[in-house]
Amino acid sequence: VGTGLAYTTGQPVVIAYDSSNYMSGPLVSYNSGTGAMVVNVDAVVGSGTYTSWAVNINGAAKRADDSAV
């Protein structure tokens, strides 16, 4: 995850490869200096091994180009 972001403990996070393969849960910790993030995953949809994941606040609004607002 990128550094210097404004994640806070308890926020709902989604970690997704695509709309059929993702996991989600509350944020346990985020280190804004290193980008290290810990999420207590409590839901998993799909399966597989992927090298690229998108991380965002679960339910965050999206722009037409699919980037977070």
Side-chain angles (χ1 to χ4, degrees):
V1 178
T3 60
L5 301 174
Y7 287 108
T8 57
T9 301
Q11 286 181 304
V13 176
V14 62
I15 305 162
Y17 174 73
D18 59 24
S19 62
S20 299
N21 298 281
Y22 62 90
M23 57 191 122
S24 62
L27 181 68
V28 174
S29 65
Y30 169 69
N31 182 315
S32 63
T34 65
M37 175 181 278
V38 176
V39 176
N40 183 16
V41 174
D42 59 15
V44 176
V45 174
S47 63
T49 303
Y50 306 100
T51 58
S52 180
W53 295 88
V55 178
N56 207 340
I57 301 303
N58 200 359
K62 296 275 188 168
R63 295 184 181 118
D65 66 359
D66 203 35
S67 61
V69 172

